[in-house]
Amino acid sequence: MTFSSAIVNPHYAGTRHQPRTKQAVYARLPDAPINGSPVPHLTSLYHNNDRDAYGDRRYPGNCGGMLIRDLITYFSPGNVLDPMTGSGTCADVCKELSLPCTSLDIRYGFDATDPACYEKQLNGAKFDFIWAHPPYWRQKLYTVNSRDLSRTDSLPEFLEGYASFIRCCAESLQPNGKFAILMGDYNDRSGFIPLVHYTKELAFKAGLRQHCTDIIRFSHGASSSRKVYRSSFIPGLHDVCMIFEKIPQ
Ligand SMILES: C[S@@+](CC[C@H](N)C(=O)[O-])C[C@H]1O[C@@H](n2cnc3c(N)ncnc32)[C@H](O)[C@@H]1O
């Protein structure tokens, strides 16, 4: 399988870095071993760029539903929780698959970092599969609610809320239940923030174990890909889906 990447960038025009060709380049992905998966195209490199009708593409941070659909097809859960649903991408996938999905967000009054909300609004319900696509700290701002993780002022404050969120989700899993978190590293004025690393650290602290390989999701269509920067850096063109599971007691 191949993916394409335009290598033309107006920033290089007239410089010694100007690419020699204006043709798209293609990288060959490694062959995947044949196995019994119901979704054999679901590998550690996720590059599906198909437009889909799940969620709302105009919503900031919308993630597209194909990866969620593939994961649900693979794990075949009986019910799903999406505690940071944004435009409802996961809920739309579940609707298509006729799967019960509890879809919540701070926008609708559910604070996914607060254990009391799980008690009050979910009555302590347990789930086979949790899909979570949290804010990449303050990369994009979502609501004006001070409990919104994207509104936290400092990294320690973000990590405190994020840790509580991961603990709450771990508590809400059935034994052997799966918890998929889509997260990206983040870079801003305070430097490089390895949010993927922190996610794993917090998940392990919450008593979860990693179920399988990281899934590197190619960030096709990211708004930053269309920008021109004067500074020099190594662009991050992916985010990472990590799948954790609850160890049965
Ligand atoms: C990356 S977006 C999710 C986008 C979604 N995957 C989609 O496709 O539309 C992150 C979401 O987390 C929500 N959020 C931030 N802090 C929250 C909190 N404490 N509790 C619940 N939701 C929160 C934001 O409102 C935002 O909708």
Side-chain angles (χ1 to χ4, degrees), residues 5-9 17-25:
S5 160
I7 57 170
V8 181
N9 183 327
H17 302 296
Q18 188 163 14
R20 261 172 288 176
T21 170
K22 287 193 174 181
Q23 282 174 348
V25 289

Side-chain angles (χ1 to χ4, degrees), residues 46-120:
Y46 202 84
H47 54 97
N48 192 329
N49 190 29
D50 292 350
R51 280 199 156 262
D52 62 57
Y54 310 116
D56 183 347
R57 285 226 162 205
R58 293 163 303 176
Y59 188 77
N62 169 270
C63 62
M66 304 305 275
L67 174 58
I68 305 174
R69 194 177 72 176
D70 286 342
L71 288 170
I72 288 177
T73 305
Y74 183 80
F75 288 113
S76 192
N79 62 359
V80 174
L81 169 67
D82 179 0
M84 294 186 169
T85 198
S87 63
T89 306
C90 179
D92 286 351
V93 170
C94 290
K95 195 169 168 197
E96 185 182 271
L97 299 175
S98 305
L99 193 58
C101 176
T102 304
S103 173
L104 302 158
D105 198 285
I106 195 89
R107 296 168 72 203
Y108 311 121
F110 181 81
D111 178 4
T113 69
D114 181 359
C117 282
Y118 291 77
E119 276 310 314
K120 260 191 265 158

